[in-house]
Each structure stands twice: as C-alpha cells, then as structure tokens.
Amino acid sequence: MSRLLRIPAVLCALLLGACGSPWNNPYPASDAGANVLYTSFVERPKHLDPVQSYAENEYAFIANIYTPPLQYHYLKRPHELVPLAAVEVPRPAYFDADHNRLPDDVPGGEVAYSVYEVRLRPGLRYQPHPAFARDEQGALRYERLTEADLDGIHAPTDFPFHGTREVEASDFVYQIKRLAHPRLHSPIAGLMSTYIVGLSEYAEQVGEMAREAPADAWLDLDRHEIAGVQAVDRLTYRIRIRGKYPQFAYWLAMPFFSPVPKEVDRFYAQPGMAQRNLTLDWFPVGSGPYMLTVNDPNRQMVLE
C-alpha cells in the first residue's frame, strides 16, 4: 500500500513544482518578472543596413532601431501615415517647368516637379556608439584605426569609449546618397533614380569615384551633391521629385530613408572592420528606441 501512495505523492510534487517555474525553462531565472520579451525567428536576417534591407524578417529588427521620417499608425485602417522623425507629414508643393507654384489639386500632367520639405523633431539622438566618441580636444577617437587597434574587438560594445549626437537633416541627405553607392546595390536605387531629381547623375559621379579608388577604400559621398536633395538647415531638408508622385510619401515611412550619419559610415569602412563583421549590415546604428547589442543569429540576437 505504501508503494501505491508514493506514486501520487511524486506526481503532486511535480505538478506543484510546475506551478512555480517550468522545469525545462530555457531562460535564466534572473529574467523572471523582468521587462524582457523572448521571441524567435525562422530565417536569419541578411541585411540590417537600411539602404539594402527589403525583407520582412529584417524589418522585425530594423523597425525598432531606425527612425524614418514617417510611420504607419498602428491602429487605423485603412493605413494612415503619421510622423515619426518628422514633425508632420510633408505635403508636396507642385511646380511647372518655369518654376511657378501650382495649386494642390493640379492635374498630374501639368506638374514638372514636386517638392517635399521634411522638418525633423528636435532632440532625436543616436544610440551610443564608438563612431561618435570624441577625445578631450573634440576629435573623433576612432577614425584612424589600425589592424592592431582592433585586437580583441568583436562588437561596438568592446570599444571603451562611446558617444552620441543629435540627428540632423544632413544625415537623411547622406542616406539618400547611399542609395546610389555602387558597392551597396540598394534594391530601390533604380526606381528612385527615375523620380529623385539628380540621383542618376549623382550615381554616375560616385561610380567614377569607385572606379578610381581601391576596392576597399571608403568613398566620401559628400564630394558631390544631388541636385534634388538639399539640407535647408540643421533640422530641415528638401527632396525634389519629377512630376506628381503621391506614392513618394509612403516611401518616407520605409527604412531606406532613415538617417545614417557620415561618422558611422566612415567608421565601419576602416581596414579590418568587415573581416570582424563590424559593419552596418551586422551592427546597425539608428535613433530608434532599441539598439542591437548582440548579433549571433545562430544563437541569439539582443535588442536593448
């Protein structure tokens, strides 16, 4: 009889234990009750650089890291654009071939070009990163690294100094220039070249720069300008579009038009970085609410 009683006693102990903490819980006990969300992904992201990323599994990450000018309202249906990095959703101004302003309801056939002016929210800052770190004299600490300097460095968090700064209009302009970068192969470069004034010509200029430079050399995209894209002031920039293209506003809600600072682009272009997966594709840098601190897609990826 005692043998029969032992069996339900063991079962009760197991059931009571299960009510507390699962015996096969794969997560640390220290995370219990913490503000941590665990989830999974089926396919590892191929690109986390917003100029190249165009896949749903990648957007699950970069949508939390980057801040394009606009976003979609989470609840409204049909979908509605609302500001994100921008102060408001820009309304295009229409002009004819003689640069005369046209009314908002003008037929598309009469429009030579449209102008979108984007005003940014002040105070939007980048996530801490060594590319922004400066020394006591105000110079960037890590803009001339050697292979020896990278010994023991496997992630941006391995650098002892980090910095940040406010997001500026020039960062959005710089990202649009990156659409034409011949080594990045942005999936929307061809389409945008048909609409953004001067982007095709700019792509030719940057392509010539790439042909004249060593294959691994950093290309200073600010050596040339895009005729239809200008920073008006620190927090305002304009984009000129051929004709009347109302769909362009929806492109401004995609990561392709998120800000990328020149300091970060140059930082990652230094010798030895790519061999250590120290790239925007692997460790993106944005101004969104989360930063990617661990990228080991065969084991875990951590957004903090």
Side-chain angles (χ1 to χ4, degrees):
M1 188 68 176
S2 60
R3 191 182 307 165
L4 294 175
L5 289 173
R6 287 194 194 101
I7 296 173
V10 171
L11 288 175
C12 287
L14 288 173
L15 290 172
L16 288 172
C19 292
S21 178
W23 67 272
N24 63 342
N25 184 358
Y27 307 121
S30 59
D31 285 352
N35 189 18
V36 179
L37 170 67
Y38 287 98
T39 185
S40 62
F41 53 95
V42 176
E43 183 181 0
R44 60 183 292 176
K46 184 178 179 181
H47 295 295
L48 295 177
D49 183 339
V51 84
Q52 299 183 81
S53 177
Y54 206 7
E56 183 179 359
N57 66 302
E58 297 164 357
Y59 277 24
F61 295 95
I62 64 177
N64 291 291
I65 297 171
Y66 287 101
T67 51
L70 307 178
Q71 65 179 337
Y72 290 98
H73 195 289
Y74 280 102
L75 302 177
K76 291 186 178 181
R77 299 295 183 273
H79 295 293
E80 179 181 322
L81 288 174
V82 294
L84 184 55
V87 173
E88 59 188 359
V89 178
R91 297 184 61 180
Y94 303 119
F95 297 85
D96 63 18
D98 295 322
H99 312 296
N100 297 310
R101 179 73 181 265
L102 300 172
D104 292 344
D105 58 353
V106 62
E110 299 179 22
V111 178
Y113 62 93
S114 311
V115 174
Y116 290 79
E117 183 167 290
V118 181
R119 294 189 299 113
L120 304 174
R121 289 192 289 119
L124 193 64
R125 301 185 70 82
Y126 287 106
Q127 297 139 8
H129 193 274
F132 301 117
R134 295 185 178 273
D135 60 21
E136 291 76 9
Q137 288 71 43
L140 293 171
R141 286 183 178 271
Y142 302 120
E143 65 175 347
R144 291 181 178 86
L145 296 173
T146 65
E147 288 276 2
D149 295 328
L150 294 176
D151 286 345
I153 301 293
H154 306 287
T157 51
D158 293 332
F159 287 89
F161 295 97
H162 299 78
T164 182
R165 69 164 173 82
E166 189 175 12
V167 177
E168 299 180 353
S170 59
D171 303 326
F172 288 85
V173 173
Y174 194 81
Q175 170 67 351
I176 296 174
K177 290 180 175 181
R178 295 181 76 241
L179 294 176
H181 198 301
R183 299 172 186 165
L184 294 178
H185 309 294
S186 176
I188 69 166
L191 177 63
M192 289 298 107
S193 292
T194 64
Y195 285 106
I196 298 178
V197 174
L199 188 58
S200 293
E201 294 78 5
Y202 178 81
E204 294 177 3
Q205 294 172 322
V206 176
E208 183 64 27
M209 286 171 51
R211 287 188 291 272
E212 295 175 351
D216 59 348
W218 175 67
L219 301 181
D220 185 358
L221 301 183
D222 283 342
R223 282 180 54 188
H224 301 283
E225 301 300 329
I226 304 173
V229 183
Q230 301 92 23
V232 179
D233 56 40
R234 192 173 60 86
L235 295 177
T236 310
Y237 67 100
R238 292 192 189 112
I239 306 176
R240 190 151 42 108
I241 303 297
R242 292 186 180 90
K244 191 175 186 179
Y245 182 43
Q247 293 89 343
F248 184 73
Y250 295 92
W251 284 105
L252 295 179
M254 300 189 72
F256 295 114
F257 289 89
S258 300
V260 169
K262 184 176 181 177
E263 301 99 309
V264 171
D265 190 39
R266 185 172 184 178
F267 172 85
Y268 280 136
Q270 296 179 88
M273 290 286 192
Q275 291 82 348
R276 292 170 170 80
N277 276 336
L278 291 169
T279 66
L280 268 176
D281 244 1
W282 201 260
F283 286 108
V285 184
S287 54
Y290 289 90
M291 59 186 291
L292 184 68
T293 55
V294 177
N295 188 354
D296 183 1
N298 294 322
R299 179 174 173 267
Q300 68 172 344
M301 300 178 70
V302 178
L303 289 167
E304 295 186 35

